[in-house]
Amino acid sequence: MNMVQLFEKKKQGLELSQAEIQYFVEGYTTGSIPDYQASSLLMAIRLLGMSDDETFYLTKAMIESGDVIDLTSIEGFKIDKHSTGGGVGDKVTLVVTPIIAALGIPVAKFSGKGLGITGGGTIDKLESIQGFKTELSSQEFIDNVNQHKIAVAGQTGNLVPADKKLYALRDVTGTVDSIPLIAASIMSKKIASGADGIVLDVKCGSGAFMKTQEEAQRLADTMTAIGEKLGRKVIAHISDMDNPLGKMIGNKLEVVEAYALLSGRLEETHEDLVDECVVIASLMYQIAAGVNEAEATAAVKGVLADGSAAAKFEEFIVAQGGVVSDIVQNDTAHKVAVTAVSEGTVETINALLVGEASVSLGAGRLTKESKLDYDAGIQLIAKKGDHVTNGDTIAYLYSNQPIDEETINKIQQAYTIA
Ligand code: URA
């Protein structure tokens, strides 16, 4: 078998066999297939797609490229969630994981660092808390879940090494936005992470990979089918990502907002985030506990109202070495108020532009080596539907480096005021 034969088959519109897909994934992961041949196949997949069987074989081969985490020593149904990316201001994981743990369901979650316009990932956000440790040994991870019902750790070295190499190549060859490639990338990591059930938050809109409802639905269906074929319970939910979620964008700022929401200080957050968190937490509880939507939603709102979700969040932070009193917004060297340039109602806030501005402020990475400014970010004062007049403050920008005009203009452009 060789790569040229695979190209010929793909060009003729034929399906690749399981053995051929395994050959490609193994060969690329171990280095016997060079980048230029892998890029060519990835572009063919990006342009021609993959059948359901091909996507399934790709996922399986990627899982088999590295370690699979064994969570069987954790009692109960282990639940995980994953967002498909493009979530500007997406701190849903920080809110829903303690809610689910407070309901007695074990949450064993591996998360990634962020790259690109979405700003930091969940791991970056948690690392913005003084002392918080995201590198846990397997035993520490399992002990924490057994004792506290929650642990969130960075992905270990050898979990789906094929994805690390393929994702890095896709990133520089214009082949990220492919439904089969995204589905295999996400599902291989989720399955290898060992959870019994997975809730997929499929983002759709300007800030996301999937721009239309139809594409988002196809990605959701593809991922659900893969999970079910591999014996996992999976539910997908499609959520709007035309607008940033909540009020805060930036690593520490998002932790502060998540903690405020859990603690019932709803004036510090926005109902779009609250609603999204209730929906995702309710889906997680439905598949883990086998209850219906109404029961799950009531249970989720219950632990938010009685303070047990906030207490669980604090317990989780302390269990991983973090200092709860550090979850406050720090002053930054520079702060700029962005003002409205016209009067009217905020029709939309372009998530892509807000994401790009947050990266310029230091809240996200442009390359894997970029250093984050944990306190940098954006506070949205005016949200979709709010009325503003010319000169009103619509957002604050925070950074420890000087804030340039381009970033300020970007936020003004992000607001469509009608
Ligand atoms: N997130 C992933 O983990 N992989 C993709 O391909 C896209 C988003």
Side-chain angles (χ1 to χ4, degrees), residues 156-168:
T156 63
N158 205 31
L159 198 81
V160 197
D163 184 61
K164 288 195 186 86
K165 279 196 82 173
L166 285 170
Y167 197 88

Side-chain angles (χ1 to χ4, degrees), residues 82-85 163 167 170 176 178 181-183 185-186 189 209:
H82 189 83
S83 145
T84 59
D163 184 61
Y167 197 88
R170 287 167 58 208
V176 170
S178 147
L181 295 178
I182 295 176
S185 163
I186 291 176
K189 284 177 290 196
F209 294 126

